[in-house]
Amino acid sequence: MSESISDGDLDRVTAAVAALEPRPRQRRWVSVTFCVVDAVWSIGSRYDSTVVPVVKRVADDFGVLEASVPNAAPASEDPVPLQRFRGAYDVDSLTKRTNRQRTSTSGGALKAEAALEYARILVSHRIETINDARSAIADPALFNRVESDLKKVPGDGSHGIRRGYFWMLVGDDSRVKPDRMVLRWFASQQLNLNPDQAAHVIAQVVERLNSTSGESAVTAWEVDHAIWNAGRRLPVVRRQR
């Protein structure tokens, strides 16, 4: 299927997304280190039972009692700059503290290795705090250089979902994470999309919602998150051999 869908399908999907009542981001991580850990471990993992506990174990190691805060909370100093994260762990110690998951099921790198490589690359571009990362989003030249390096880290995948999700976690509400939960929801709407197609359709839905709403603008993050939440409540459909 091409990236475009029929106007009828787009109308139908837009109405289905509106019914999900997309809401603004409620909470955010307080450190760029936690964003890195979340982005790396979230690929292929259960979020509530695996990813959140991994982030909290890392936060505990640095004495951070509140790893996340309400999104509306005032900005504060990053409690775990990436140099501090890199200095506290090597691959072996981070693996022991988290788990032995790999970036792919076919012999990928340990996720601990990928997270530390993410940190190394970001620091090499003078991105050490969450505010540094947010500033990079607004600097196209720097952003493109960082992206070019991050995509080389094992586990990036053919659609760059992990990279996009990292910037989402940092605070970019224009990005989406078209992972298997999002694709599952689209499939429940009779649309079998790949991640790039799903991202394109989400952008079209956002545009339509904002053109018909008299309220504050809906962001791509809000639509993506509403779809993701709906998708993870759907049963997994096993394909027949």
Side-chain angles (χ1 to χ4, degrees), residues 25-210:
R25 190 191 299 255
Q26 297 299 302
R27 298 188 68 83
R28 57 179 171 81
W29 298 121
V30 298
S31 173
V32 69
T33 289
F34 305 156
C35 296
V36 167
V37 173
D38 184 339
V40 170
W41 261 273
S42 69
I43 304 301
S45 296
R46 293 184 180 275
Y47 193 75
D48 292 330
S49 62
T50 298
V51 181
V52 172
V54 162
V55 175
K56 289 186 175 179
R57 283 198 293 274
V58 171
D60 287 346
D61 285 351
F62 294 97
V64 179
L65 300 181
E66 281 194 291
S68 69
V69 294
N71 195 48
S76 58
E77 184 177 352
D78 191 320
V80 192
L82 288 169
Q83 278 286 41
R84 190 178 177 203
F85 173 61
R86 294 181 67 213
Y89 301 107
D90 57 17
V91 173
D92 184 59
S93 60
L94 183 57
T95 299
K96 289 178 180 177
R97 191 67 179 115
T98 55
N99 57 44
R100 296 195 62 81
Q101 286 187 350
R102 294 183 175 271
T103 56
S104 77
T105 56
S106 56
L110 287 165
K111 288 185 176 180
E113 181 180 352
L116 290 170
E117 181 64 4
Y118 248 59
R120 185 197 67 78
I121 288 169
L122 291 166
V123 169
S124 75
H125 290 282
R126 299 184 179 179
I127 298 172
E128 295 202 36
T129 68
I130 198 159
N131 285 334
D132 292 339
R134 290 170 182 158
S135 296
I137 294 170
D139 183 338
L142 172 60
F143 182 83
N144 288 336
R145 291 196 298 272
V146 176
E147 280 273 280
S148 180
D149 286 344
L150 290 180
K151 73 192 302 184
K152 300 172 186 175
V153 180
D156 189 65
S158 57
H159 300 282
I161 292 174
R162 185 178 62 191
R163 275 179 291 124
Y165 182 49
F166 168 71
W167 298 115
M168 282 176 67
L169 293 169
V170 166
D172 188 346
D173 285 344
S174 69
R175 292 184 176 272
V176 299
K177 184 194 179 194
D179 64 6
R180 69 187 189 280
M181 302 301 180
V182 171
L183 300 184
R184 183 185 300 170
W185 184 84
F186 275 117
S188 77
Q189 302 298 312
Q190 291 76 54
L191 290 175
N192 294 310
L193 307 177
N194 66 36
D196 291 338
Q197 292 166 341
H200 182 73
V201 171
I202 289 173
Q204 291 178 294
V205 169
V206 170
E207 183 177 356
R208 288 209 172 193
L209 288 174
N210 287 330

